[in-house]
Amino acid sequence: MRQEHFIARHQAEWQAFDAWLDARGGRPRRARADRDWRGMDDSAVPAAYRRLTQQLGLARRRGYSPQLVERLQALVQRGHDVMYRPPPPRWRRSVEFLLADFPRLVRAERGAMAAALLMFALPLVLSFVAVQVRPELIHTLFEPVQLAQMEAMYDPAASKLGRDSGEDLQMFGYYVMNNVSIGLRSFASGLLAGIGPVLVLGMNGLMIGGMASHLQGVGLGDPFWRFVAGHGAFELTAIVIAGGAGLRLGLGVLAPGRRRRVDALVEGGRRGARLALGVFAMLVVAAFIEAFWSSIGWIPAAVKFGVGGALWLMVLLWLWRGGRDRHAA
């Protein structure tokens, strides 16, 4: 084939590949977010690169002009740098998982998440209303000593809300251990045919709702709500997600479909483990807020509720919109 015919046949493809490298090859994250790109599709790039290397070999073997060979060589080199560049550092991959992959995974399990939310919120609301109507019912959930300790922790005169002692850093470690243990129990107990998450979610809902109602009834509602307003967005949402992951794991045991039960369990375990990683990160953030912000008693209620509302909005937007781009779709 004459060089002129060779160029005429492949010129458009070279130009499209060159345009893709200029527009999308250097900044992949920004490229994935670009919804207006009308050039070569990203999925077609590997095949175009392979054809380009073949065309470079043909140009050399047929003795085409040095200018053409140099042009193709430059395109192949640029394509090689994009196709075989090193993976992003681990910290960057972790950030991408938390910002995009984790919210997408939560949305993919929306059915299990909705069921977990119902199992947690319904007992919480019912116990809150029941204790408001009949305050003596709180003694079915807590011992008198526990109630006295709770009332002392939310005394408006206390220097720290929500705890009776301990430095901030010490309490941060305690909150991490306590919250993570609840989240892991919610997830891992899904192996018990899904019964475990139902019990964990239901009991936590009953106790939180009952305690909130009791403190509200004895006149300690203001310090209690100021305390939970900050970290509640991360902590309560994480507990629900962990429960949803446990329910999904239990569903693999009860209803594996056409798969073998062990295969369904392995797949559910893998998805649940990724959800558990995100839950762990959320609970660490919740523990940090609880230890270093929520416990401060002198901050006005308007500020505490304003920050709490902003955190709730941020968490809901993150789970609703995180990872929604054309590449992810």
Side-chain angles (χ1 to χ4, degrees):
M1 180 183 294
R2 296 176 61 86
Q3 177 173 308
E4 293 80 5
H5 296 159
F6 182 78
I7 294 175
R9 172 174 292 184
H10 302 295
Q11 178 83 303
E13 186 174 0
W14 299 341
Q15 291 175 345
F17 189 75
D18 188 33
W20 184 90
L21 289 173
D22 290 338
R24 304 176 71 79
R27 299 178 177 179
R29 290 183 63 191
R30 180 176 296 181
R32 289 196 295 267
D34 182 10
R35 299 172 181 266
D36 299 324
W37 171 250
R38 295 294 182 268
M40 179 182 291
D41 191 81
D42 295 345
S43 61
V45 171
Y49 174 74
R50 289 193 296 270
R51 289 194 299 270
L52 183 63
T53 57
Q54 181 184 26
Q55 292 155 9
L56 173 61
L58 288 174
R60 286 173 172 169
R61 187 167 67 249
R62 293 172 181 175
Y64 291 156
S65 68
Q67 292 82 3
L68 177 60
V69 173
E70 183 178 353
R71 176 188 177 189
L72 295 179
Q73 177 63 50
L75 279 178
V76 168
Q77 185 60 52
R78 291 177 62 197
H80 180 275
D81 293 342
V82 171
M83 298 290 292
Y84 297 99
R85 60 187 160 201
R90 290 184 179 273
W91 67 264
R92 183 174 170 181
R93 184 68 190 93
S94 300
V95 172
E96 290 180 353
F97 168 76
L98 291 176
L99 293 182
D101 296 347
F102 178 69
R104 284 202 299 266
L105 191 56
V106 171
R107 293 195 298 271
E109 301 291 349
R110 61 178 63 89
M113 298 303 161
L117 176 60
L118 183 63
M119 294 174 187
F120 177 74
L122 186 59
L124 188 152
V125 172
L126 290 177
S127 64
F128 185 91
V129 173
V131 173
Q132 285 290 299
V133 175
R134 297 183 60 186
E136 66 275 10
L137 290 177
I138 191 63
H139 296 287
T140 63
L141 297 174
F142 298 95
E143 297 291 335
V145 175
Q146 294 175 305
L147 294 176
Q149 291 175 343
M150 285 290 182
E151 292 171 8
M153 289 165 58
Y154 295 102
D155 186 345
S159 59
K160 292 289 187 179
L161 297 177
R163 63 188 198 227
D164 51 7
S165 64
E167 298 294 331
D168 290 346
L169 188 59
Q170 176 187 354
M171 296 307 298
F172 170 65
Y174 169 78
Y175 292 144
V176 169
M177 293 298 296
N178 182 68
N179 296 343
V180 169
S181 66
I182 294 175
L184 289 180
R185 284 199 301 269
S186 299
F187 166 58
S189 59
L191 290 171
L192 302 174
I195 298 175
V198 176
L199 296 177
V200 174
L201 291 169
M203 286 304 300
N204 276 276
L206 283 173
M207 296 179 70
I208 293 173
M211 180 54 64
S213 183
H214 172 73
L215 293 173
Q216 183 72 33
V218 298
L220 298 177
D222 175 70
F224 172 77
W225 296 119
R226 282 192 289 124
F227 176 74
V228 301
H231 62 274
F234 285 94
E235 183 176 318
L236 299 182
T237 306
I239 291 174
V240 170
I241 294 174
L247 291 175
R248 188 66 182 81
L249 192 62
L251 187 61
V253 176
L254 294 175
R258 296 185 177 181
R259 298 167 297 177
R260 294 188 306 167
R261 183 167 278 102
V262 65
D263 294 335
L265 190 59
V266 169
E267 180 183 349
R270 288 174 178 169
R271 295 175 68 86
R274 299 185 68 200
L275 285 169
L277 287 176
V279 166
F280 174 78
M282 293 180 70
L283 291 176
V284 170
V285 173
F288 181 86
I289 298 172
E290 188 172 0
F292 295 99
W293 167 262
S294 298
S295 60
I296 301 176
W298 55 264
I299 297 178
V303 176
K304 283 289 189 80
F305 295 147
V307 172
L311 290 174
W312 271 107
L313 181 62
M314 183 183 73
V315 169
L316 294 177
L317 284 176
W318 166 52
L319 295 176
W320 177 44
R321 298 298 303 173
R324 288 185 184 268
D325 56 44
R326 186 174 70 172
H327 177 75

